[in-house]
Amino acid sequence: MTVLRRSIAFFVLLSGLFGTASTASADAGFEGRVLDLVNRERASRGLGALAASAELQGAARGHASAMAAGGFFGHDAPNGSTMTSRIEGAGYRGWTFLAENIAAGQGTPEAVMAAWMGSAGHRQNLLSPQAREIGIGHVYRSGTEFGNYWVEDFGARRTVSAPAAAPPAAGVSGCGYSLGFRALRDQIPGVVGACLEDEHHNPANGDSLQRTSGGLLVWRKADNFTAFTDGYRSWIAGPYGVQARLNSERFFWET
């Protein structure tokens, strides 16, 4: 079972207003991968990268551990702690913006990112232009209801500069898109990005390929559909319009 929730409010405030049956293990590799995926999503929309905050990570990892150990799932813990109290307790002070995403059950960074990006509220937190820093916590605990527990804590402080907006990726002079590749790019322009090479064919299977600043465009000879992949998700112009999925998944109509 997979569970996904978010805080009801962003908690955007001005400064001045306001025991265990199994062993839990944090995974820094998974946490780093989520950070990379978050910043890729932001860059594809012209937003600046979020900086990793040790304080926010401490709060996020601590809450993920508490959910795993305490058998609960929520932004407010049974001991009375809240998103704000945990983050301040971890030493994150002078903040001007806070937000939190949580999830449970997803086994990989790609899966939890797909879940968050597929939820309007979580996506809004993740892509907030007000956020400047992030802390990510992932804990796996065997014998629990969900196994994997995930937390993203977002923040901004006056002492930390706003992230610079990502400049549009530069394409290769004279390079362009045509036919199906152009049609798909026009439907998801912020995802595909700039052209890096001319379209070419793969003699092994007859597919057409074109690298972009966001990933790879592919015309699949086997089913005559055009697709784009950024390395962990794919957007396919298929019989039901443009649909997105994880690369590890398949639509029922795909051959």
Side-chain angles (χ1 to χ4, degrees):
M1 178 178 180
T2 295
V3 175
L4 180 68
R5 294 182 186 170
R6 73 175 186 95
S7 55
I8 295 174
F10 278 178
F11 299 96
V12 181
L13 302 177
L14 296 175
S15 176
L17 301 177
F18 188 61
T20 65
S22 58
T23 301
S25 59
D27 192 323
F30 270 17
E31 293 164 352
R33 175 63 174 159
V34 170
L35 175 60
D36 176 61
L37 295 175
V38 166
N39 282 331
R40 286 173 59 179
E41 293 286 2
R42 293 176 63 89
S44 72
R45 293 160 176 82
L47 297 167
L50 300 180
S53 160
E55 296 91 343
L56 290 178
Q57 184 180 37
R61 190 178 282 178
H63 190 47
S65 296
M67 289 192 292
F72 73 95
F73 181 81
H75 294 282
D76 297 335
N79 66 1
S81 75
T82 65
M83 174 193 73
T84 304
S85 69
R86 290 188 298 271
I87 290 174
E88 289 185 340
Y92 195 82
R93 303 295 179 131
W95 54 266
T96 58
F97 171 86
L98 293 178
E100 181 173 84
N101 287 342
I102 62 176
Q106 297 85 356
T108 66
E110 290 77 12
V112 76
M113 276 294 296
W116 279 330
M117 289 299 293
S119 164
H122 295 83
R123 184 171 61 250
Q124 187 175 10
N125 284 344
L126 201 149
L127 300 177
S128 172
Q130 295 170 284
R132 300 182 182 182
E133 299 175 282
I134 188 173
I136 299 155
H138 168 258
V139 166
Y140 174 77
R141 191 182 193 93
S142 62
T144 57
E145 183 177 3
F146 303 114
N148 291 280
Y149 295 81
W150 305 83
V151 179
E152 286 181 317
D153 282 332
F154 304 89
R157 295 180 283 190
R158 293 185 179 89
T159 55
V160 176
S161 299
V172 173
S173 178
C175 178
Y177 302 112
S178 62
L179 301 175
F181 286 174
R182 177 184 296 173
L184 182 56
R185 189 282 310 269
D186 289 347
Q187 293 183 74
I188 50 171
V191 176
V192 173
C195 175
L196 297 182
E197 66 177 4
D198 291 330
E199 179 181 343
H200 61 279
H201 289 85
N202 179 353
N205 57 18
D207 290 355
S208 292
L209 308 171
Q210 189 169 21
R211 286 190 307 113
T212 78
S213 59
L216 182 70
L217 283 160
V218 181
W219 171 75
R220 307 188 314 199
K221 183 179 180 181
D223 55 19
N224 196 31
F225 293 134
T226 302
F228 174 79
T229 180
D230 65 3
Y232 81 104
R233 284 187 301 167
S234 290
W235 291 256
I236 304 171
Y240 301 95
V242 176
Q243 296 176 280
R245 60 161 172 74
L246 293 176
N247 285 355
S248 59
E249 300 172 341
R250 289 292 181 272
F251 293 120
F252 73 91
W253 47 263
E254 290 187 89
T255 56

